[in-house]
Amino acid sequence: MKSKSLIYTALVGAMCLTSACTKLDENAYDEIAADDFYNNKTEVISAVLRPYTHANAWATPSGQDGWWRLAELSGDQLAWPTKGRHGEDGGKWKRLHYHTWTVDEGGINNAWVLMYWGMGLCNSAISNIETRDIAKMGITQAEKDAYIAELKLLRAFHYLKLMDLFGNIPITTAIPEGSSVELPNTTNRAEVFAFIESEIKANIEKAPKASRATLGRMNQAAGYAMLAELYLNAEAWIGTPRWDDCIAATDKIISGEAGGQNGSMALDPNISDQFKSTNDLSKEVIFSIAYDYKIANFATGFPSEFYHFKQQEIYGGGRNGNDGIVVIPGVYTTYKDADKRKSDWLLIGKMVKFSDGKTPVLASEEYKDLQLEFVDNIQKNKTGSKVSNMSEGEENSGVRFNKYKLGNQFPGPGGKPEIDPNYNNTDWNIYRLTWIYFAKAEAIMRKNGGVATGEAVQLVNDCKKRAFTEADWAANAYTTSTLTMDELLAERGREFIFEGFRRDDLIRFGKFATGLWWDHTPSNANKALYPIPQQQRNLNSKLTQNPGYN
């Protein structure tokens, strides 16, 4: 039975602090929560938790323009094509896919604002907790120190993801006072990198180790995961490789020294425990955006991004979607048929109702009243057209997302499976141990001139073998000769599809601007960074535009 009461005890109070997620037209780093809130421990915890609930909006596929959309829809695996009368949306998805975005993109500006707003929530809580008397707040000094360390790690996470997208960004750690606000200058990427690194290193040992009590919150393991991400991308981001530092950070997690969410940190024994409605019980999750529909009426937003208009009939739940994001044609076939990830994480073919396992789910657009069938192409099959691009989709175009499972709200055929008591409680993972294994393997290979060592192979194989039966594994295991850098990139794609890492992987492997996929042709090197939104530059003249966007 799932219990997340420690996380959501004060959620309602936290949500009342600000309506930040809906105001997207201001200097977000100037906005703070109310000051008069820290009168007891519950209110303090509410302030600590508020940035986490806000992170749902930008760090996950929430239905909002945040980091996740910019990180995935510009890569070679996912797209939101126009499907008949749906999904044109002013061409925003096409510009992400083709790398033709401009400085005036509303979606890029919204991501900037959401992320800086979350950072401001961290700043507000840090400042208020630091400057207030512990007796008046009803907490101990040890609790105060731990909350501040946790919030500074979470603030570093915001800056890490902002730097990932925009490179050169303003840094602010103080709450504006008075009516006159001094707007911040742009800080170059190398300095932002150094700031993030120093913030994490200064606070990681002050934060608690990962445990059940830190579910969905920053802890030491999450801090080391951030360092691993920072160092893995250091060469691409600041021109200086940090492979040894990446390996050292991953070792802190793999060894269990930084704790574990559910006992000792370990890979889950299968490919499903990390993604189902009880994934809060996973051994390998390091940091997640945690949800509990039963306690807080707070649920993940991914159905709106991925689900078809009639998806609830397919999985036995109560949520449909916008028939939006699909897998780019050809990605599905990069998985071997023996690979369980192909059948478990991806949805293709003719759809039937969950309730009886045989009645067809009927389409509602081009194939209205015919059985809905997801296909591995994006073209107008009904008219016989073979033209395939972002404008030519139909409602059934593209292989679909099935990686995360909500559970079922209604019973299946003959009452099996029974109603899932944890329906709609699925957490969204930010870091999991599998990613740490891959990060260490890549760092080892890059240190070795791009050649796999026995240790690198073992790390990847330990993760991959869960996707194959014992009978199939020998034919699919890597060796030092078959695990090339190109194959590592391909396997990263298969393992981490939908998880938000693909853009960075392509940049790190030199493929983002030069790669060809589906109907996407090579773009320009400057597209490795998004532009500083012009709307923000209009509000703050101190912001310097990124190269190639003036």
Side-chain angles (χ1 to χ4, degrees):
M1 187 71 177
K2 176 178 291 194
S3 175
K4 298 181 181 177
S5 58
L6 286 174
I7 297 175
Y8 292 106
T9 298
L11 179 62
V12 175
M15 298 291 282
C16 292
L17 277 171
T18 176
S19 57
C21 292
T22 58
K23 294 176 64 181
L24 301 176
D25 58 348
E26 302 179 26
N27 280 319
Y29 39 75
D30 292 337
E31 295 296 326
I32 60 173
D35 276 340
D36 57 349
F37 194 71
Y38 300 79
N39 300 310
N40 54 61
K41 186 173 181 177
T42 296
E43 292 184 352
V44 172
I45 294 174
S46 295
V48 172
L49 296 183
R50 183 62 186 95
Y52 293 105
T53 63
H54 180 87
N56 162 67
W58 64 264
T60 78
S62 66
Q64 300 192 59
D65 290 316
W67 167 83
W68 187 92
R69 282 181 174 175
L70 299 185
E72 282 288 7
L73 296 184
S74 57
D76 64 350
Q77 292 187 306
L78 306 178
W80 190 321
T82 301
K83 305 180 196 72
R85 62 193 178 105
H86 297 286
E88 181 62 22
D89 297 333
K92 62 188 290 188
W93 314 121
K94 295 175 183 177
R95 291 191 294 276
L96 276 177
H97 176 73
Y98 295 125
H99 296 186
T100 56
W101 51 75
T102 72
V103 299
D104 296 312
E105 296 290 339
I108 295 176
N109 181 67
N110 290 349
W112 172 285
V113 171
L114 282 172
M115 295 166 78
Y116 266 107
W117 207 306
M119 182 279 302
L121 293 170
C122 293
N123 280 347
S124 176
I126 290 168
S127 177
N128 276 285
I129 295 172
E130 279 184 333
T131 56
R132 291 171 185 266
D133 181 76
I134 59 174
K136 292 182 179 179
M137 291 188 289
I139 60 176
T140 66
Q141 186 63 47
E143 288 172 329
K144 177 178 180 177
D145 294 342
Y147 291 149
I148 292 169
E150 175 186 354
L151 285 162
K152 287 185 175 180
L153 289 177
L154 184 57
R155 182 174 65 187
F157 175 66
H158 284 73
Y159 276 119
L160 174 63
K161 296 304 186 182
L162 279 159
M163 180 186 66
D164 166 22
L165 297 180
F166 300 105
N168 312 294
I169 57 174
I171 295 175
T172 178
T173 59
I175 296 177
E177 296 182 2
S179 58
S180 179
V181 175
E182 180 68 24
L183 296 176
N185 294 300
T186 298
T187 302
N188 70 61
R189 198 178 206 179
E191 292 181 57
V192 178
F193 185 103
F195 168 76
I196 296 167
E197 180 183 19
S198 65
E199 281 282 279
I200 296 172
K201 293 173 75 171
N203 290 284
I204 196 166
E205 296 299 326
K206 298 176 184 177
K209 293 181 184 292
S211 69
R212 186 68 184 175
T214 67
L215 172 66
R217 294 170 63 173
M218 276 290 161
N219 51 57
Q220 289 187 22
Y224 284 115
M226 284 194 289
L227 285 177
E229 182 177 5
L230 196 67
Y231 297 141
L232 184 66
N233 291 288
E235 185 173 42
W237 287 350
I238 61 171
T240 303
R242 300 284 295 274
W243 310 126
D244 285 328
D245 290 327
C246 179
I247 292 167
T250 60
D251 282 342
K252 289 283 190 179
I253 300 169
I254 294 170
S255 68
E257 184 177 337
Q261 179 171 289
N262 290 290
S264 299
M265 185 73 69
L267 292 175
D268 287 324
N270 53 55
I271 62 166
S272 59
D273 284 356
Q274 315 94 310
F275 307 112
K276 59 188 182 181
S277 64
T278 54
N279 64 345
D280 63 303
L281 302 177
S282 165
K283 298 281 287 184
E284 76 167 67
V285 173
I286 296 168
F287 175 53
S288 64
I289 304 300
Y291 304 93
D292 201 308
Y293 185 67
K294 293 189 298 183
I295 294 175
N297 197 29
F298 185 44
T300 181
F302 72 70
S304 67
E305 303 280 76
F306 297 117
Y307 280 5
H308 183 267
F309 306 126
K310 301 180 75 173
Q311 192 90 12
Q312 63 183 27
E313 296 181 21
I314 299 170
Y315 75 97
R319 302 180 68 180
N320 291 316
N322 294 311
D323 198 32
I325 297 170
V326 304
V327 178
I328 284 174
V331 172
Y332 179 73
T333 57
T334 66
Y335 292 85
K336 293 183 179 180
D337 288 343
D339 191 333
K340 297 175 187 176
R341 297 172 297 189
K342 186 175 188 176
S343 57
D344 192 63
W345 293 356
L346 303 172
L347 198 60
I348 190 171
K350 295 181 178 181
M351 297 295 107
V352 297
K353 292 187 177 183
F354 181 86
S355 59
D356 63 13
K358 59 183 180 181
T359 301
V361 173
L362 301 182
S364 57
E365 297 292 324
E366 293 89 349
Y367 298 92
K368 182 175 174 61
D369 296 330
L370 298 176
Q371 186 169 14
L372 179 63
E373 180 179 4
F374 297 133
V375 296
D376 188 20
N377 62 61
I378 298 173
Q379 59 196 39
K380 296 189 182 301
N381 294 304
K382 190 171 185 181
T383 65
S385 173
K386 298 300 181 183
V387 177
S388 181
N389 59 46
M390 286 286 286
S391 299
E392 296 296 311
E394 299 175 314
E395 73 168 300
N396 65 336
S397 293
V399 176
R400 302 305 174 98
F401 167 96
N402 198 39
K403 192 171 191 176
Y404 281 80
K405 311 293 198 300
L406 292 181
N408 55 294
Q409 194 176 18
F410 307 102
K416 300 294 183 180
E418 298 176 352
I419 294 172
D420 184 351
N422 295 296
Y423 169 73
N424 216 18
N425 288 334
T426 313
D427 300 338
W428 186 268
N429 304 326
I430 303 298
Y431 295 114
R432 58 188 179 99
L433 188 59
T434 301
W435 188 89
I436 297 298
Y437 271 50
F438 272 76
K440 182 177 181 180
E442 183 179 334
I444 290 170
M445 290 176 66
R446 291 189 182 277
K447 269 192 67 177
N448 197 41
V451 177
T453 66
E455 183 181 11
V457 168
Q458 188 65 53
L459 286 162
V460 176
N461 278 342
D462 283 347
C463 303
K464 182 183 178 183
K465 67 183 178 183
R466 299 174 297 180
F468 295 86
T469 65
E470 186 175 349
D472 290 327
W473 174 236
N476 290 282
Y478 286 122
T479 66
T480 53
S481 60
T482 59
L483 186 59
T484 63
M485 290 302 291
D486 283 345
E487 181 57 27
L488 179 63
L489 176 62
E491 182 60 19
R492 285 189 65 90
R494 288 185 286 266
E495 178 64 32
F496 301 112
I497 189 169
F498 307 115
E499 295 189 44
F501 296 108
R502 195 57 179 173
R503 170 180 165 274
D504 280 343
D505 288 352
L506 293 172
I507 291 171
R508 204 168 56 252
F509 282 77
K511 308 288 188 183
F512 187 72
T514 62
L516 286 159
W517 53 84
W518 181 36
D519 69 330
H520 173 96
T521 56
S523 55
N524 298 314
N526 74 299
K527 297 304 173 71
L529 289 178
Y530 284 101
I532 307 302
Q534 187 58 44
Q535 187 171 345
Q536 296 304 311
R537 296 188 71 211
N538 292 342
L539 294 167
N540 180 2
S541 62
K542 295 181 180 181
L543 297 181
T544 303
Q545 187 55 273
N546 283 327
Y549 291 108
N550 288 313

